[in-house]
Amino acid sequence: VSLQIMVPGQGLYMFTCRVREVMSSARAGLKLEHTDDSPHPNRREYVREQVNFRFLVRNESNAKPTQALAHDISGGGLAFLARCTLPIGHSVWIDLPASVMGEPTTIKAKVLRAVARDSVGTIRYAVMWEEMPSKPQETLIRYVQSEHLRRFRA
């Protein structure tokens, strides 16, 4: 069994363990075997939430911004789809809309991953925020938490 537990204000914790016993009484449940040497340690510091909004992205060699579609976002980074070439390991600038940050905000990020999605050039990117001051990061974390609650209540 793989579990993900969100602890408000602390992040998302993930671990894998075996089911020791299935309890099928009036209060059904699972008894789990858990050790601290999980093969899947928590690597996320922030809760990640699926989103769907458009924004602009640009890199140092391409001052002209490209429109992108956000897939998921957290206090630590962003995954998105775009039809442009962004080199892995290089910095990019993400122009987040006012609907996310309260006002239009540009944040520097580092490209960590790029995976081709289709034959027309759409690429799924993952970036990690760089040089983000604490106030915008707090705003972003609040946005992610509000989106999580909105989706949970729907």
Side-chain angles (χ1 to χ4, degrees):
V1 169
S2 292
L3 300 172
Q4 295 183 353
I5 301 170
M6 185 182 94
V7 179
Q10 293 184 22
L12 184 66
Y13 293 88
M14 301 176 289
F15 63 91
T16 301
C17 59
R18 286 189 266 175
V19 175
R20 186 179 338 143
E21 180 183 346
V22 177
M23 300 177 301
S24 56
S25 60
R27 288 185 57 171
L30 300 173
K31 285 189 178 181
L32 305 175
E33 287 181 13
H34 175 62
T35 62
D36 288 337
D37 52 335
S38 171
H40 304 288
N42 175 40
R43 294 188 337 205
R44 289 195 179 142
E45 186 176 348
Y46 303 100
V47 174
R48 185 168 291 276
E49 184 63 31
Q50 289 184 356
V51 292
N52 186 10
F53 62 82
R54 296 197 181 280
F55 66 94
L56 297 176
V57 60
R58 56 191 155 71
N59 66 22
E60 293 171 310
S61 63
N62 180 10
K64 182 182 176 193
T66 300
Q67 192 170 68
L69 178 65
H71 181 267
D72 61 57
I73 193 168
S74 77
L78 174 71
F80 62 92
L81 301 173
R83 288 189 180 148
C84 62
T85 301
L86 302 171
I88 293 173
H90 288 199
S91 295
V92 295
W93 284 262
I94 307 287
D95 296 330
L96 292 175
S99 61
V100 174
M101 299 297 288
E103 62 185 13
T105 304
T106 300
I107 301 173
K108 187 177 179 183
K110 181 178 183 177
V111 179
L112 299 178
R113 194 169 41 256
V115 179
R117 293 282 298 205
D118 58 34
S119 61
V120 294
T122 304
I123 300 172
R124 180 176 172 162
Y125 290 100
V127 299
M128 176 179 69
W129 305 126
E130 291 183 316
E131 302 175 16
M132 183 187 289
S134 61
K135 185 171 182 185
Q137 189 173 38
E138 290 169 11
T139 301
L140 189 55
I141 290 169
R142 280 195 304 275
Y143 169 78
V144 170
Q145 289 173 339
S146 69
E147 286 297 298
H148 181 77
L149 289 173
R150 184 184 60 75
R151 189 171 58 89
F152 183 73
R153 291 178 181 154

